[in-house]
Amino acid sequence: MHLGHLHGALLNWKNLQDEYQCYYFIADWHALTSEYAHPDIIRESTYDIIIDWISVGLDPEISTFFIQSEIKEHAELHLIFSMITPLPWLERNPTYKEQLTELSQKNVYTYGFLGYPVLQAADILMYKANGVPVGEDQAPHVELTREIARRFNHLYREVFPVPNVLLTPTSKLLGIDRRKMSKSYGNAIFLTDTDEEIDAKVAQMITDPQRARKADPGDPTICNVFSFHEIYSNDETVESIRSECPSARIGCVDCKRMMASALKQGLKPIKAKRKELEADMGRVKEIMEQGNTKSRAIARETMEEVRDAVKI
Ligand code: SF4
């Protein structure tokens, strides 16, 4: 996971733990929709992701973690929802076309990719979720889940609550090329990056595009490096950059160096926790097993109700 995930989702999930009974899962079947030609990476990433979650503060004692493919009921519910979901609902999904372009290097003109939001509906409704924490771009998918829940309830009987969107504030941190931070763009800073990798990536970061020379005044409000400072540097540093950058009293090289140092410092506790977990993979696997067992029991109950409602 990268800093975009950390500030766009994980830290928000961490806060939600105190307020809600949370379920977080590894969407490995979803990953197959775009990675079907190279599935090895999916299994390899599973434990990495769990370790990231725990390292940033998601607590397996409070929240439940599970692996989607370990709960086969998701596939059955997906199939039933596929029968009742009108095709135009999927084709008009605004993120579908966007993702086709974004993932243009992969062939995702598949049945599974189009039906991705139907599987998401199964993931959400299986646990009768009241809320789904998503970024703005994923909100249309939740809307589709709501429509599927309503359609199911209308066709058969009231089984599913209609879940709400718990909108996650979008991360201000962009990738090093100033586009949205994304692994597929190759512009991300990962939680697992070494100090040297962080230094190298920060050195390449695009700053205020209007500032070509050190003598030119800069504008921190449009500079991605400054957004990182606002999160990772102390108030004094942030204030001094805010006043020195527009009058060209500080250069971008120095500013980046200061930011990289604050960022490395800020990621230290996460890395330390990761190291501790990597040394105890037995514990990580046990956490997953416990979560799978708890989730499977709920999924079984829901599917009993679903089969009964559908009368099949
Ligand atoms: S001095 Fe810092 S805030 Fe100003 S443009 Fe350069 S990197 Fe951005």
Side-chain angles (χ1 to χ4, degrees):
M1 297 212 135
H2 53 63
L3 292 176
H5 294 130
L6 178 66
H7 294 283
L10 299 178
L11 293 178
N12 182 50
W13 293 1
K14 186 179 160 194
N15 295 335
L16 290 173
Q17 293 183 126
D18 303 329
E19 215 181 316
Y20 294 88
Q21 191 187 347
C22 297
Y23 286 78
Y24 297 115
F25 72 100
I26 302 289
D28 54 353
W29 276 336
H30 281 290
L32 261 187
T33 54
S34 56
E35 296 300 334
Y36 58 84
H38 307 285
D40 292 357
I41 183 119
I42 302 174
R43 188 168 291 172
E44 279 165 27
S45 319
T46 297
Y47 288 104
D48 256 351
I49 295 172
I50 301 294
I51 291 175
D52 277 342
W53 287 355
I54 304 174
S55 306
V56 303
L58 292 187
D59 184 348
E61 300 292 325
I62 308 175
S63 297
T64 305
F65 304 159
F66 67 91
I67 300 173
Q68 183 186 33
S69 65
E70 289 291 326
I71 319 294
K72 309 298 180 200
E73 286 76 5
H74 285 233
E76 188 182 352
L77 192 55
H78 171 228
L79 180 125
I80 291 176
F81 286 164
S82 300
M83 303 300 171
I84 66 166
T85 305
L87 208 46
W89 287 8
L90 301 175
E91 288 167 338
R92 75 171 186 224
N93 177 0
T95 49
Y96 174 63
K97 284 192 184 131
E98 231 173 78
Q99 284 185 326
L100 283 181
T101 321
E102 214 171 279
L103 301 170
S104 56
Q105 74 284 18
K106 295 172 184 164
N107 180 1
V108 287
Y109 283 91
T110 59
Y111 171 58
F113 193 70
L114 178 68
Y116 190 104
V118 182
L119 181 55
Q120 268 187 334
D123 301 330
I124 295 164
L125 297 175
M126 184 70 85
Y127 302 91
K128 300 191 175 174
N130 302 112
V132 191
V134 288
E136 229 167 314
D137 55 336
Q138 288 287 310
H141 284 183
V142 181
E143 192 45 48
L144 198 85
T145 294
R146 290 160 55 84
E147 289 184 49
I148 292 174
R150 284 193 208 104
R151 189 163 165 84
F152 183 98
N153 291 345
H154 171 73
L155 284 169
Y156 308 110
R157 69 177 158 82
E158 199 80 23
V159 171
F160 298 110
V162 178
N164 293 314
V165 170
L166 302 175
L167 211 54
T168 308
T170 311
S171 166
K172 268 180 75 186
L173 302 184
L174 300 172
I176 61 171
D177 57 1
R178 236 166 155 256
R179 290 187 293 167
K180 182 184 169 192
M181 194 180 285
S182 161
K183 190 179 175 192
S184 47
Y185 291 158
N187 65 1
I189 298 177
F190 294 96
L191 300 181
T192 47
D193 278 348
T194 61
D195 285 356
E196 292 70 29
E197 283 167 331
I198 290 175
D199 285 336
K201 287 181 182 178
V202 171
Q204 289 171 44
M205 277 174 83
I206 296 179
T207 62
D208 169 0
Q210 305 297 326
R211 191 177 189 195
R213 284 174 296 272
K214 193 177 170 185
D216 295 337
D219 181 356
T221 61
I222 56 162
C223 177
N224 190 27
V225 173
F226 188 68
S227 301
F228 279 73
H229 270 299
E230 286 184 300
I231 294 176
Y232 288 98
S233 296
N234 58 35
D235 293 349
E236 201 185 323
T237 307
V238 172
E239 281 320 308
S240 75
I241 295 165
R242 206 194 298 277
S243 80
E244 289 177 16
C245 169
S247 50
R249 280 178 291 144
I250 180 171
C252 294
V253 173
D254 288 336
C255 185
K256 285 177 171 180
R257 207 175 293 131
M258 287 156 70
M259 188 277 269
S261 156
L263 175 59
K264 289 182 286 189
Q265 195 61 31
L267 294 180
K268 253 189 191 165
I270 297 178
K271 287 187 175 174
K273 183 73 188 166
R274 165 170 268 280
K275 216 169 171 188
E276 190 188 310
L277 290 161
E278 280 173 342
D280 190 2
M281 285 307 288
R283 173 73 193 122
V284 177
K285 289 184 177 162
E286 200 184 326
I287 288 168
M288 284 316 303
E289 266 322 304
Q290 285 167 353
N292 288 342
T293 305
K294 184 175 169 192
S295 308
R296 199 175 291 121
I298 297 173
R300 283 185 179 155
E301 258 179 53
T302 304
M303 285 316 297
E304 288 288 316
E305 266 188 86
V306 167
R307 287 183 213 115
D308 189 54
V310 180
K311 298 191 175 49
I312 206 154

